[in-house]
Amino acid sequence: MWRPALGGDCENEREQHRQTLAHSHATVIRLAYLASYAGLAALGAALVARPAFLWLRSQGLAGAALAWEVPNGALLTASAALLAFLTLWLASKAALRRSPRAPLHLAFLLGVGICLALRSASGDPRPPTDPATGLLDALRAAAEELDRGWAGQYTPDAARFSSSLAQVHPPAFRRHGWSLPLHVRVLSGAEGAQLDPLAGDDPCTIYLSLSRDRQTAWLTALTLDGVLQISAGKPAIIEARAGTHSLPGGDPAMPAYPSTLRYRGSSHRAHSSR
């Protein structure tokens, strides 16, 4: 009677050992599966996260922003969102100890592949150009247009500057996904240049401050952090008086005549073409 009981105990122990080994193997396989998918998710996110973030920030959703040049930025952002959604879906299945179905596996792997392909085709994001160049060109264009309308006094109309500013390449400012256009805001009865941003005004605004006697005008340009400066603490002000204007931040006693500027520009282009 003693030997059969001992044999039964040994058989039970072997069965328990087999079950323990099977459970251990299943745990190891499950951990390897989770680690491989987590690695793929991390790889896909690392590839598209930075350009997607730069593209989103460049849209100026919370306020005006200087836009980076991100090729395929919208597609990269969409692929990053898709990968994050699929990763969370797989993680929820794993947390509930449910086996994801084959379509979910396929969708996840396809999402990772899309991230790899888009990142390879898009290249690296490029930072925006210095907005000061475009704003200075806009100040000069507005000043020349203002001088062309001189008839004993300045009588500026904000709409009249549209054609002149349309010929200037605007800085890459965006707000709510739209590029901000260059435009002039006329401030009458001023005693000097407008050096502080006015409520509701975005970058690319050109302030044209007109004196009470309409004999003098001051032009300043608005950028992200206030009025454009040509050097530390020195705002880029163009002062127009009696049909002539100074250079940005220059001495009003040394006017920059439009004809002289055009001559210098044509001479420079001719010299360059040689």
Side-chain angles (χ1 to χ4, degrees):
M1 297 295 294
W2 178 77
R3 287 186 177 179
L6 181 60
D9 292 341
C10 291
E11 185 66 27
N12 290 335
E13 288 179 1
R14 284 195 293 270
E15 181 63 25
Q16 291 177 0
H17 182 64
R18 283 195 296 268
Q19 292 178 358
T20 302
L21 288 177
H23 180 71
S24 300
H25 291 161
T27 302
V28 170
I29 292 173
R30 182 180 181 82
L31 289 176
Y33 155 78
L34 292 175
S36 61
Y37 272 69
L40 288 174
L43 175 62
L47 289 172
V48 298
R50 180 173 178 269
F53 171 75
L54 289 174
W55 183 83
L56 275 177
R57 190 179 67 178
S58 297
Q59 302 312 303
L61 301 180
L66 194 57
W68 281 61
E69 187 177 347
V70 185
N72 300 319
L75 292 176
L76 287 166
T77 304
S79 65
L82 174 64
L83 182 61
F85 172 74
L86 293 173
T87 301
L88 289 176
W89 195 355
L90 280 171
S92 66
K93 293 289 186 181
L96 296 173
R97 295 186 177 277
R98 296 178 181 176
S99 298
R101 295 184 178 180
L104 181 55
H105 286 277
L106 180 61
F108 175 81
L109 295 175
L110 184 61
V112 174
I114 290 174
C115 291
L116 291 170
L118 278 176
R119 188 66 177 86
S120 177
S122 301
D124 293 329
R126 292 180 289 276
T129 57
D130 186 1
T133 302
L135 292 175
L136 288 173
D137 289 343
L139 281 173
R140 297 186 187 100
E144 291 189 10
E145 182 63 34
L146 179 67
D147 284 342
R148 277 194 289 268
W150 169 259
Q153 63 177 5
Y154 289 116
T155 56
D157 180 7
R160 197 183 74 193
F161 296 89
S162 299
S163 59
S164 297
L165 293 180
Q167 301 176 17
V168 178
H169 185 67
F173 290 115
R174 287 181 187 170
R175 183 176 176 84
H176 298 155
W178 297 94
S179 297
L180 295 177
L182 292 163
H183 65 282
V184 169
R185 179 173 179 179
V186 178
L187 307 174
S188 300
E191 297 181 355
Q194 181 65 35
L195 300 180
D196 296 313
L198 298 178
D201 286 340
D202 288 320
C204 289
T205 301
I206 306 296
Y207 289 133
L208 197 164
S209 305
L210 186 62
S211 65
R212 295 181 183 276
D213 59 6
R214 295 182 175 270
Q215 299 296 306
T216 308
W218 300 270
L219 294 99
T220 52
L222 194 58
T223 185
L224 275 179
D225 53 355
V227 169
L228 177 68
Q229 297 181 355
I230 56 175
S231 60
K234 185 176 183 181
I237 302 174
I238 289 183
E239 181 172 332
R241 185 179 299 170
T244 62
H245 63 272
S246 67
L247 293 172
D251 186 353
M254 299 291 293
Y257 293 96
S259 59
T260 304
L261 289 176
R262 286 195 292 271
Y263 172 76
R264 288 177 180 175
S266 61
S267 298
H268 176 72
R269 287 192 295 271
H271 179 74
S272 299
S273 63
R274 293 175 188 172

